[in-house]
Amino acid sequence: MKVMCFFLPLLFLTGCDLLGPVTRKLPPETQEGADTFGALVDGVAWRPNNGGQVFPLALAASYGSGSLIIEAANRPIDASIRFALYDTIYAEGTYLLAKSKTPLFYVAYEKEDIRYFPNTDNYGTLVITKLDTLDLGFVSGTFEFEAISEIDSTDTVRITQGRFDVRF
């Protein structure tokens, strides 16, 4: 035990990164309307990026009457993550993400014109940790889901450690 006590401080002094370089590339989980969004897509850090253009926006959100829409785009790699939940989100809590293209529910990852929808065998989750509809107008939370290509059911994408803190 004495050896462990000696080496543990050395880990921190030498810059050992216990979180890993990939996780550090994601924005922190905040609840203040910081306009942040990120996730690991197949283990690789993914964040919105408009490629240096003023428009179109890389991150946008809207909320009203229980309907939440969040779109995050990474234009240089032509990919996006979208949540469109209509008449569904009224409070903080956990919501299941299942494959659905109905007018009331749409969740997708899209890359190079191929859409991926949540796997019905393994529901993902969207956790709303803060919904501020009165003061600043923002929503914060986390998400994760496995998505299947609408073209090839063997082509999957795993989205984990997703987090957002966006104003609407």
Side-chain angles (χ1 to χ4, degrees):
M1 230 9 158
K2 290 180 183 180
V3 173
M4 179 72 132
C5 293
F6 174 75
F7 284 110
L8 191 57
L10 284 177
L11 289 174
F12 295 104
L13 291 174
T14 59
C16 177
D17 189 356
L18 297 177
L19 295 177
V22 172
T23 305
R24 277 189 295 119
K25 292 180 182 177
L26 295 177
E29 290 183 38
T30 57
Q31 296 181 353
E32 56 198 38
D35 279 331
T36 58
F37 188 102
L40 296 181
V41 177
D42 287 335
V44 177
W46 187 98
R47 293 177 83 161
N49 183 339
N50 68 357
Q53 302 173 16
V54 176
F55 291 102
L57 295 175
L59 179 61
S62 65
Y63 178 82
S65 301
S67 298
L68 173 66
I69 300 171
I70 300 174
E71 181 174 357
N74 188 312
R75 308 249 184 263
I77 63 170
D78 193 24
S80 64
I81 296 175
R82 294 185 184 120
F83 296 98
L85 307 159
Y86 300 100
D87 197 28
T88 302
I89 309 293
Y90 290 97
E92 295 152 359
T94 301
Y95 299 86
L96 292 180
L97 301 176
K99 181 178 181 180
S100 176
K101 292 187 252 181
T102 69
L104 295 179
F105 191 86
Y106 182 90
V107 176
Y109 172 75
E110 185 174 341
K111 183 171 184 182
E112 299 170 355
D113 294 328
I114 298 173
R115 288 188 183 98
Y116 296 79
F117 296 99
N119 180 354
T120 53
D121 296 332
N122 183 16
Y123 290 103
T125 57
L126 173 72
V127 179
I128 303 296
T129 56
K130 180 78 172 180
L131 180 59
D132 180 343
T133 60
L134 301 176
D135 295 327
L136 298 175
F138 69 91
V139 61
S140 305
T142 61
F143 62 93
E144 69 175 42
F145 61 96
E146 182 176 286
I148 299 172
S149 164
E150 67 181 349
I151 297 171
D152 177 2
S153 64
T154 63
D155 183 11
T156 62
V157 174
R158 185 150 171 75
I159 298 173
T160 58
Q161 295 185 39
R163 71 263 327 253
F164 58 91
D165 184 16
V166 294
R167 291 181 188 230
F168 43 78

